[in-house]
Amino acid sequence: MRQTVRRRAAAGLVASFSLLLPTALPALAAPDPREIVLDGATSAEGIAAGEGKTFYAGELTTGDIFRGDIRKGTVTRFIDAPAGRAAVGMKADTCNGLLFVAGGATGKAFVYSTETGKPVADFQLGKGFINDVTLTGDGAWFTNSAAAELYFLPVGEHGELGKVKALKLSGPAAELTQGFNLNGIAGSEDGKVLIVAHSMNGALYTVNPKTGESAAIKGASVPFVDGILVRGDNVWAVQNQLNQITRLDLSSDLSSAEVRNIIKSGAFNIPTTVALFGEGTLAAVNAQFNQPPSPFEVVLVPAWK
């Protein structure tokens, strides 16, 4: 199965979220966080793990992509995207050397070569806000924050890109209100179930990728949820306006979850998406929505504390 793994918002719309109370569990501050500055970035949003210690981080408003090394703490602008593009959630297919990027308000998905940085293809998905993407064994799934549907882009054994299909959702994940609805997305360990984050509902849902039927994951109350990451029975949910990442333990049937710990860091400044490196390091990107311009960073924190 290809590596799996989201997004949030245009800055001016963050205030549309209803203020929800954070969980009462104690927050654990991450010790000695490391920060990697995206030098020259004017915005930020998505992050993806590549080969080894390589990461990719996107510039939301221009669509440019940075590439860095979490061990060395270095980063450079890797892709100078054509005009009119955006970069929200992203995932790297390291088997085929492809980077899949959600295109936000463009309604598109963009695919780049991780070897050369050149565009490979782009696809019109739908109207709205294409927010995040995850990779499963047979392709890429994208969310739309303004529509009750997902989009599937088949990816062949050797990286061949197929024809996009839309999946209409039913059940609680299909609820739409003003603001950002569907946001982060990830696949279950066996790839048979999708898990989506719903920002306005502060909830996580399972989705049947064949029928579009959805169900709430009980116990997964995550206000301001943005990007999510699933590994085994663990799910990390980034809560942007709360400046924290909540780790939950999923039940074997994915019907419920229990909060294990909350990861906080003084370096968080509205984190949006997260990637896992090895077994112990999370890399989260600070989006700094609704704030005066300042350097944008990737923050490294322990995954389990």
Side-chain angles (χ1 to χ4, degrees), residues 224-241:
F224 299 108
V225 65
D226 201 317
I228 59 173
L229 170 68
V230 174
R231 286 293 183 274
D233 58 359
N234 290 283
V235 55
W236 288 265
V238 184
Q239 295 170 271
N240 51 36
Q241 297 294 318

Side-chain angles (χ1 to χ4, degrees), residues 56-275:
Y56 301 92
E59 194 166 22
L60 174 63
T61 56
T62 68
D64 286 3
I65 308 294
F66 290 80
R67 182 171 65 181
D69 186 306
I70 66 164
R71 178 178 293 163
K72 297 178 181 178
T74 56
V75 65
T76 58
R77 192 181 298 268
F78 175 53
I79 296 173
D80 186 2
R85 296 197 171 195
V88 195
M90 62 182 67
K91 294 297 178 292
D93 178 350
T94 58
C95 295
N96 294 306
L98 298 173
L99 182 67
F100 295 81
V101 180
T106 68
K108 291 185 174 183
F110 303 109
V111 185
Y112 300 94
S113 166
T114 57
E115 181 178 350
T116 66
K118 294 182 178 180
V120 173
D122 62 85
F123 299 86
Q124 187 67 49
L125 302 184
K127 296 180 180 179
F129 195 94
I130 309 304
N131 204 322
D132 201 10
V133 56
T134 193
L135 299 178
T136 61
D138 51 2
W141 287 90
F142 295 83
T143 59
N144 187 337
S145 293
E149 57 189 20
L150 304 177
Y151 309 95
F152 176 62
L153 173 59
V155 181
E157 184 177 354
H158 303 292
E160 309 91 343
L161 302 177
K163 184 178 180 180
V164 172
K165 301 175 183 178
L167 177 68
K168 297 290 184 181
L169 302 186
S170 60
E175 294 178 5
L176 296 177
T177 55
Q178 184 177 3
F180 288 88
N181 296 279
L182 294 178
N183 200 321
I185 184 170
S188 63
E189 188 73 4
D190 59 9
K192 295 181 179 180
V193 178
L194 298 171
I195 298 174
V196 296
H198 195 295
S199 293
M200 293 304 295
N201 290 351
L204 302 180
Y205 303 113
T206 57
V207 173
N208 184 318
K210 294 182 179 180
T211 66
E213 295 178 84
S214 67
I217 299 178
K218 298 177 182 178
S221 176
V222 279
F224 299 108
V225 65
D226 201 317
I228 59 173
L229 170 68
V230 174
R231 286 293 183 274
D233 58 359
N234 290 283
V235 55
W236 288 265
V238 184
Q239 295 170 271
N240 51 36
Q241 297 294 318
L242 298 183
N243 282 319
Q244 67 185 36
I245 301 171
T246 295
R247 181 172 69 90
L248 304 101
D249 184 19
L250 292 166
S251 63
S252 58
D253 63 0
L254 306 183
S255 65
S256 63
E258 182 179 354
V259 175
R260 290 304 186 192
N261 62 285
I262 298 171
I263 301 168
K264 280 185 172 286
S265 168
F268 284 162
N269 192 351
I270 311 186
T272 47
T273 55
V274 67

Side-chain angles (χ1 to χ4, degrees), residues 34-45 57-59 66 75 77 266-271 284-289 291-299:
R34 291 176 54 205
E35 300 172 56
I36 302 173
V37 174
L38 302 176
D39 190 27
T42 58
S43 58
E45 170 63 33
E59 194 166 22
F66 290 80
V75 65
R77 192 181 298 268
F268 284 162
N269 192 351
I270 311 186
V285 64
N286 282 333
Q288 303 180 36
F289 295 135
Q291 297 185 17
S294 63
F296 291 87
E297 315 95 350
V298 169
V299 180

